[in-house]
Amino acid sequence: IAWAAKEDKQWWWQPGGGPGIFWPKDVLDDFTFGCFVQLFEKLGYSKCQDYQLDAFHEKVVIYAYPDGDFSHVAKQLPTGAWTSKLGPDEDIQHNSPQGLEGKNYGAVKQVLKKRCSVSGILLRMFFKFSAIFEKRANMI
């Protein structure tokens, strides 16, 4: 959660608190799926449906198990790929949010977006246009 929320590698973010654990005081801490959505809304994200690269927004997806319980969060990179932190040391990239779906992480249940900074917009536009030009070059 910390990685997707703020790229925080120092604290473990989790409802309930405790030593070495962070959770904002103004966010529900009942471990329901809704408290994780509320966390990202407090960080400036809003719900959306589309997980495709958008030059003006950074995006996260929240995964849930079949019973609706929260399981994981992934964050979209400016390239359009996704990143996940699997425990304290493992950082991975996957091409789509569906790349993690299955018995270990469940399925994407909510997509959220937040307006990028100007530098974030420029970086996303660079990668978006680079992909278009690369696709055209491969067609020739």
Side-chain angles (χ1 to χ4, degrees):
I1 300 164
W3 177 247
K6 294 273 189 175
E7 293 185 9
D8 184 349
K9 293 182 180 180
Q10 180 179 2
W11 293 94
W12 185 264
W13 288 32
Q14 177 178 308
I21 296 174
F22 170 78
W23 194 254
K25 292 183 186 331
D26 60 345
V27 176
L28 292 172
D29 67 350
D30 59 3
F31 282 92
T32 61
F33 186 85
C35 81
F36 296 96
V37 173
Q38 184 187 30
L39 167 69
F40 282 93
E41 288 175 333
K42 292 282 184 178
L43 293 172
Y45 288 83
S46 59
K47 294 175 184 173
C48 68
Q49 300 298 316
D50 182 13
Y51 60 83
Q52 300 301 319
L53 181 62
D54 172 350
F56 298 100
H57 295 94
E58 56 185 69
K59 296 182 180 181
V60 296
V61 292
I62 304 178
Y63 297 78
Y65 295 115
D67 64 5
D69 287 346
F70 166 84
S71 67
H72 184 69
V73 180
K75 180 177 184 171
Q76 190 175 44
L77 297 169
T79 61
W82 292 79
T83 183
S84 291
K85 188 152 191 62
L86 307 178
D89 299 317
E90 299 295 323
D91 300 342
I92 65 165
Q93 285 189 28
H94 36 107
N95 292 330
S96 73
Q98 290 76 16
L100 287 184
E101 288 186 336
K103 69 176 187 172
N104 291 329
Y105 295 101
V108 172
K109 185 172 179 182
Q110 184 64 63
V111 183
L112 296 111
K113 66 181 181 179
K114 176 171 86 169
R115 187 83 169 166
C116 288
S117 65
V118 172
S119 60
I121 292 169
L122 292 173
L123 194 56
R124 283 168 175 73
M125 289 178 77
F126 170 79
F127 283 112
K128 197 168 189 166
F129 286 122
S130 293
I132 291 169
F133 290 129
E134 184 177 325
K135 189 181 244 185
R136 286 187 181 166
N138 289 336
M139 294 173 69
I140 297 174

